[in-house]
Amino acid sequence: MRNKVWVVIVICILAVGGIIGISGLTSDAVSSKADDTSPDNEKVKNVIVLIGDGMGPSYTTAYRYMKDNPSTQQMEETVFDQYLTGMAKTYSNDKDENVTDSAAAATAMAAGIKTYNGAISVDKNEQPVETVLEAAKKNGKSTGLVSTSQITHATPGAFGAHNESRDNYDEIADDYYDEMIDGKHKIDVMLGGGVDNFDRDDRNLINEFKNDGYHYVTTAEDMNNNKNARLLGLFAQVGMKKAIDREPSTPSLAEMTNAALKQLNKNEDGFFLMVEGSQIDWGGHDNDAVSVMSEMDDFAKAFQAAIAYAKEHGDTQVIMTADHSTGGLSIGRDGDYNFDTEAIKAAKRTPEYMAEQIIDGASVEYILNKYVTFDLTDTELTDVKKAAATEDVDTLHQAISDVFNERAGIGFTTGGHTGVDVPVYAYGPHSERFSGLIENTDIANEVFTFVR
Ligand SMILES: [Zn+2]
């Protein structure tokens, strides 16, 4: 692969040299000609922003270990690696907390301002700030939000709503319906979880959207068959299940991304789409490496779907990053210099799923035999049984997670976020604008230049 790239570059240099030699262009003429075709003059019509929530650098590295082919000496690149352009600073503007949460980080990436933790596209004075999604809509583009959390959660919320608190999920759903731009609802495609925030005692936003021409779907099949440009798909009451726990009737993040692209692609003025791998972060909060890897895989496939679209549509700019890191995930723990990825791959369901089944009455042995490909040691089994005896699902979830984390050599230091820089990836005409060490606000500020 690398050899081929060098061959192409060498041929280009020879060709340019030949043209200059034959036509005898002056250097001024060469540079003005170059300006006409320079990347800065290439128009971006469509923008896809992908956010791996909580996906700090140790996550993308751990994912590379997971995907490594053990029969080769070299550790192969992941689907992300070749698109890496830089790193982003994530700190928020919060006097009490200088480690960001998802709301402040999403506001930075959606509206281009640093604000306080918990803010949904409002500034420090709780005043609404325009988002890239809104600017795109105002400019005649179509818009979409896709997530595996409630579609009203902090990250999608900051692109499509304004609220002083991320906890006001119902009000965020209200904004999606009520805040019109030029007499139209501002989000054309919404796919994710969160029925509870739409179908409520005080209001039924599902019916309101349907009455206004949205097609409403709740299964992967109906979503894939959708032909309506305006689409609302809600696949869970709250957050969707983790990818390895999902039924076939529930779509993957890649399927949702493709379903969104199929509709957004119809607008000849282009579109803005935000896709979030929401639950990478939730796995990090739970200190559950199995869930983290399940969700990263789901996200990686959605990223590939976005890249595939952009490769077919050259006027599409893809930007991918994280909002922060979560859990302090470390590759290596307890003084050991090894990450045994087989221990993570041995889980056929998440520890959370297994814990729920056991709390619902299934025996510890039955569940572990069914969903774990290795045999637990007596000590591990005793620890899990002790946790099961508490009848507390979170305690049991952690005990089962610990079996995988310890065997794999994956450590965690916190149940919260960490303030490290996050990797930034880009593909498309203006990827160079996302290179080097940038602020997370630079992402919004660059996207504004594409969508306005
Ligand atoms: Zn989080």
Side-chain angles (χ1 to χ4, degrees), residues 129-447:
V129 183
E130 188 186 43
T131 73
V132 289
L133 180 145
E134 291 165 337
K137 191 72 194 172
K138 207 173 276 177
N139 197 20
K141 293 182 188 292
S142 292
T143 58
L145 294 176
V146 173
S147 72
T148 55
S149 62
Q150 308 87 300
I151 197 66
T152 52
H153 210 257
T155 306
F159 283 85
H162 304 277
N163 204 288
E164 68 276 7
S165 170
R166 60 180 292 170
D167 296 333
N168 296 328
Y169 296 115
D170 290 354
E171 292 179 12
I172 290 168
D174 288 348
D175 275 8
Y176 291 172
Y177 184 87
D178 295 333
E179 291 187 348
M180 312 281 260
I181 290 179
D182 296 335
K184 291 181 198 130
H185 295 298
K186 60 180 159 183
I187 316 167
D188 298 292
V189 177
M190 288 164 276
L191 300 171
V195 172
D196 288 355
N197 306 122
F198 286 78
D199 184 1
R200 317 188 309 245
D201 289 341
D202 65 318
R203 200 168 173 183
N204 189 328
L205 287 167
I206 294 170
N207 287 340
E208 293 187 52
F209 273 116
K210 277 158 81 171
N211 290 339
D212 290 357
Y214 279 72
H215 185 46
Y216 176 61
V217 298
T218 58
T219 65
E221 194 183 356
D222 286 348
M223 180 188 75
N224 293 331
N225 291 333
N226 169 62
K227 293 187 171 60
N228 197 320
R230 283 172 298 173
L231 174 64
L232 174 64
L234 299 175
F235 307 99
Q237 297 304 121
V238 187
M240 291 169 66
K241 286 194 172 129
K242 302 280 190 306
I244 58 170
D245 297 338
R246 249 172 248 159
E247 310 293 331
S249 61
T250 307
S252 68
L253 190 60
E255 280 181 286
M256 292 196 285
T257 302
N258 282 327
L261 289 171
K262 190 170 109 186
Q263 297 312 320
L264 299 175
N265 181 49
K266 291 177 179 172
N267 186 340
E268 31 181 68
D269 293 325
F271 64 81
F272 171 82
L273 172 64
M274 194 289 300
V275 177
E276 183 195 29
S278 319
Q279 299 193 32
I280 300 167
D281 171 69
W282 296 6
H285 280 289
D286 289 341
N287 291 356
D288 172 351
V290 171
S291 289
V292 164
M293 289 307 153
S294 155
E295 297 314 284
M296 283 204 61
D297 218 31
D298 196 38
F299 184 64
K301 288 172 185 145
F303 177 69
Q304 285 177 289
I307 295 288
Y309 180 89
K311 284 192 170 164
E312 276 185 21
H313 304 82
D315 46 10
T316 303
Q317 180 65 50
V318 177
I319 304 121
M320 192 277 272
T321 189
D323 46 0
H324 52 73
S325 195
T326 305
L329 184 148
S330 70
I331 299 165
R333 64 178 283 161
D334 304 329
D336 290 335
Y337 288 55
N338 194 49
F339 173 17
D340 178 8
T341 57
E342 293 305 314
I344 303 295
K345 292 172 190 162
K348 299 299 158 207
R349 291 281 191 278
T350 64
E352 183 179 24
Y353 179 93
M354 294 183 227
E356 281 165 2
Q357 300 285 306
I358 292 166
I359 296 293
D360 284 350
S363 85
V364 169
E365 282 90 348
Y366 173 77
I367 292 299
L368 295 178
N369 273 330
K370 191 167 177 191
Y371 298 122
V372 187
T373 58
F374 56 72
D375 293 324
L376 276 75
T377 64
D378 289 345
T379 320
E380 288 170 337
L381 201 55
T382 308
D383 288 347
V384 173
K385 282 184 173 169
K386 226 183 266 174
T390 68
E391 291 181 19
D392 177 55
V393 71
D394 294 334
T395 305
L396 181 55
H397 176 188
Q398 194 57 65
I400 299 173
S401 297
D402 286 344
V403 172
F404 294 103
N405 298 345
E406 285 170 21
R407 280 186 179 237
I410 291 292
F412 290 94
T413 58
T414 174
H417 297 172
T418 61
V420 295
D421 299 338
V422 292
V424 179
Y425 306 81
Y427 176 79
H430 290 300
S431 296
E432 82 288 349
R433 296 198 198 170
F434 305 92
S435 60
L437 181 60
I438 64 173
E439 293 281 359
N440 54 4
T441 48
D442 291 337
I443 292 172
N445 292 331
E446 291 299 341
V447 172

